[in-house]
Each structure stands twice: as C-alpha cells, then as structure tokens.
Amino acid sequence: MSLQLSQVVAFADGHVKIYELQDPLELKRWQLQAEFQNVMDFLARSGKPSCVSASIAWNPQKPQSQRAAFVLGFNSDLPQFNSSKIWEFDETHQRWQPVAELALPGDEGDQVHALAWAPNIGRPYEVVAVATCKGIAIWHVGLNADVDGRLSLKKVALLSGHDGEVWQLDWDMSGMTLATVGSDRMVRLWQSNLNGVWDEQASIESN
C-alpha cells in the first residue's frame, strides 16, 4: 500500500497550489490537485500585494474522521491579505475551502511571521500557534464544522517574551510544549498548566 503525500505552495500574489504524490518512490511525479486564490474578492478590487513570506502548517495527525487541513498566513503590505486561514478539503464537492480565520476583530491585518499546528493526542480540539507582531497567539480550534461549514475558535493565550520578530514555531511530539525562536536569538519553551494558563518554562540563547 503506497503512502500519498501532499504539499502546499503559496505564491507572493496569494495564489495557492496543492500537489499530491501517489507513490513516494516517484519523486518526479507530483501532480497538481487544486489551485485557488487566498483572498480572491479583495485582490480583484485592490490588485496584487507585495508579499515578504508565507507560512504554512498542515494538521500533523489527522484522524480518519477528519478532512485534510492546513493553515496558511501571509506577511505582506496589504492588511486584508495577511490573516491566517484554515483550509479543509471538502470531499463532497472535491475542493478546498476556508473554514476558519485565526484573528480577532481588529487583528485581521497583522502580518503573520510563523505558524505551527500541534499534534493532537486525545484532545477534543486542535491547537494552532500564530506568531505576529503582537506576540504568539494560541488558538483552540473545533474538530467539526458547524452548519455553515465553519470551525469554532477560541484564542486562549497571547505569549510575549521575545524582543523582536518571532521567526519560527515548533511543537514537541505530544503537542504540549511549544518552542519559539526570534530575532533576539533566544529559544523559548512554553507550556500551559492544568488551568490552561500559558507560561514560559525555559529560555536558551542561540548562537
């Protein structure tokens, strides 16, 4: 039985392409599965943004009962272009569709510097970390969409500690510890306690 692989490619103009590989031994046979615009309506009115980077994170441990999903955010000069969106594959209509936007009112235009989707070992929700200029937001995301096809969201923490931009986020295998690194050359480790309060547990200076 072959293992199917997928990858997301995001372009500076907001164009997104999904590729699939049916046989991991045939690395030259990636096939285009889908393509779409991240914010088509806005681009039609305002033109193309100047994009510095895009951040992408797949749902790392998708149960069989869930659809394939990833989160995508941009760092550009257009506020309406930036906010992180979760995209899921709709098996019924055979297309990717946005099901959640990880931003509170007033924060939609924050430039996204990094994203990380936590492994889920038995939680009744997903956990996604989003780094912007305001800090590192921790989001709880519902497992199943509502009647409108949207996932429930709750921002449970905003972590601050880095002096400058956060460059990278990564979860441990349990999805309980978040490692962050930034322009201050510090690696910081974060965890939540039993009451759901997030705190920095350790910091290491990187060379």
Side-chain angles (χ1 to χ4, degrees):
M1 179 178 177
S2 61
L3 176 65
Q4 179 177 302
L5 302 178
S6 301
Q7 65 173 327
V8 183
V9 181
F11 296 85
D13 62 354
H15 204 65
V16 180
K17 293 186 178 183
I18 314 292
Y19 292 90
E20 288 185 347
L21 183 66
Q22 299 294 332
D23 186 349
L25 298 180
E26 298 287 342
L27 296 180
K28 295 183 178 180
R29 296 183 179 273
W30 286 93
Q31 296 181 343
L32 181 64
Q33 185 255 355
E35 56 182 318
F36 49 86
Q37 273 286 353
N38 188 46
V39 282
M40 184 177 299
D41 292 341
F42 177 77
L43 289 177
R45 298 192 303 270
S46 303
K48 295 180 180 180
S50 175
C51 185
V52 175
S53 63
S55 299
I56 302 166
W58 283 94
N59 181 346
Q61 292 178 310
K62 181 183 71 65
Q64 293 298 319
S65 60
Q66 282 186 267
R67 302 170 178 176
F70 63 89
V71 57
L72 168 65
F74 286 87
N75 180 353
S76 79
D77 62 346
L78 291 180
Q80 296 87 340
F81 188 74
N82 292 327
S83 63
S84 301
K85 297 182 181 67
I86 293 179
W87 293 82
E88 276 192 353
F89 187 69
D90 184 343
E91 295 283 354
T92 302
H93 300 96
Q94 290 293 295
R95 66 184 182 188
W96 289 88
Q97 59 184 15
V99 293
E101 184 173 8
L102 303 181
L104 295 176
D107 295 338
E108 296 94 338
D110 293 347
Q111 296 172 333
V112 177
H113 299 150
L115 297 166
W117 195 313
N120 188 349
I121 304 178
R123 283 191 301 261
Y125 52 83
E126 301 289 350
V127 179
V128 179
V130 181
T132 70
C133 60
K134 295 178 180 175
I136 303 162
I138 305 296
W139 290 87
H140 287 181
V141 183
L143 298 180
N144 299 303
D146 60 19
V147 293
D148 296 322
R150 307 293 290 181
L151 296 177
S152 62
L153 294 173
K154 183 179 181 181
K155 184 178 177 180
V156 297
L158 182 63
L159 312 180
S160 59
H162 283 285
D163 183 14
E165 182 177 319
V166 176
W167 287 345
Q168 187 64 40
L169 311 171
D170 201 7
W171 294 92
D172 71 341
M173 294 180 63
S174 70
M176 303 294 290
T177 302
L178 177 66
T180 66
V181 64
S183 58
D184 57 1
R185 302 177 63 183
M186 297 296 295
V187 177
R188 302 183 187 277
L189 303 179
W190 310 82
Q191 288 182 340
S192 67
N193 60 23
L194 295 178
N195 295 320
V197 178
W198 284 82
D199 286 306
E200 182 181 324
Q201 302 299 312
S203 60
I204 307 166
E205 185 173 1
S206 60
N207 297 319

